[in-house]
Amino acid sequence: MREKLIQYSILSSILFLFWVIFSGKLDVKHLMIGAVTALVIAWICSSFLQVSSVTTPGIPVKEYAVFNLPYLKLFPYLGWLLWELVKANVDVALLVLNPQMPISPQIFTFKKTMSNPVAHMILANSITLTPGTITVDVQEDVYTIHALTESAALSLAPLAGEGDMPARVGRLFNE
Amino acid sequence: MRILAIFFLMGGFFFTTVAALGVIRFPDFYTRLHAAGKGDTLGIALSITGLALYHGFNLVSLKLMFIVFFIFLANPIGTHVLSGAAYKTGIRPWTGKGE
């Protein structure tokens, strides 16, 4: 219950902050409209604020709070992701501009066991943003990936061990 | 600052153009999504960051940076939903080996 209240206040404060920034007005009337709207929207969304863990046989289902993220570790990760995004784009641009177009598209699956759904969301989004790979489907903890080239597929899911990006997201959430 | 803004804008235009070219040149649906999903994300992000830099630091540039943030969150989700729908309806990916 206490956790729920904390999540609720975080969401309504974020919404209220957005209102202030986007409206740019600081008089009492606008602030009050913003505060009421933020509280009502957060109330409507309150059932989304807790997500249950990805089911793995033998482990009891846990509830995760959406805003309960490792923020300190998240920012270095975002910086790394931004740099990867630039590299990905240069790669794709080179492929597009190459007259022979040396691509070998393929669909493959790999498994990454994590119980927090938010971690899965971050990993899936990161995969879509970076070198030549798109997340096609995520079922429980099995990822279906479409890769543009052989090397992109191998960098994400090497023949032995696990790729750089799943390992990083795993470290991010200590799983 | 203005030179940096121009640099960012040119980068944005370059990547958006390459994304459009990629959509035309790639052989099938999934590979085209690669071009559209990634090229557009960075292209639009760079263009808007350039505009924000050109404007200097004030409320408008802060709003522009929020747009960049939302594009970063929303664009991969859109790409993912499109490819997932294509995969479920049974569109086979092009492999370059023929049928």
Side-chain angles (χ1 to χ4, degrees), chain A residues 18 21-22 24 82 85-86 88-90 92-93 96-99 101 103 105 107 125 128-130 132-137 144 146-148, chain B residues 14-15 18 21-22 25-27 30-31 33-34 38-39 41-42 59 62-63 66 70 72-73 76-77 79-80 83-84 87-88 93-95:
Chain A
F18 270 112
I21 290 169
F22 285 129
L82 215 62
L85 176 68
V86 174
N89 269 280
V90 173
V92 173
V96 169
L97 297 175
N98 190 327
M101 197 174 274
I103 55 173
I107 284 192
N125 258 13
T128 302
L129 279 173
T130 47
T133 45
I134 296 183
T135 312
V136 174
D137 203 6
T144 307
H146 181 271
L148 203 51
Chain B
F14 172 74
F15 281 114
V18 167
L21 257 178
R25 285 202 66 201
F26 276 145
Y30 296 101
T31 43
L33 268 185
H34 278 280
K38 288 190 248 296
T41 313
L42 191 68
L59 203 60
L62 193 62
K63 286 177 191 173
F66 272 118
F70 282 127
F72 261 94
L73 279 183
I77 295 174
T79 311
H80 165 66
S83 63
Y87 188 66
K88 285 205 179 88
W94 181 87
T95 51

Side-chain angles (χ1 to χ4, degrees), chain A residues 111-162:
Chain A
K111 205 175 151 149
K112 171 71 183 169
T113 316
M114 291 187 290
S115 75
N116 193 341
V118 183
H120 280 289
M121 186 275 273
I122 288 179
L123 179 56
N125 258 13
S126 309
I127 288 170
T128 302
L129 279 173
T130 47
T133 45
I134 296 183
T135 312
V136 174
D137 203 6
V138 184
Q139 289 292 336
E140 304 295 329
D141 46 12
V142 177
Y143 287 70
T144 307
I145 308 290
H146 181 271
L148 203 51
T149 57
E150 188 81 43
S151 63
L154 283 178
S155 75
L156 192 61
L159 298 175
E162 68 178 352

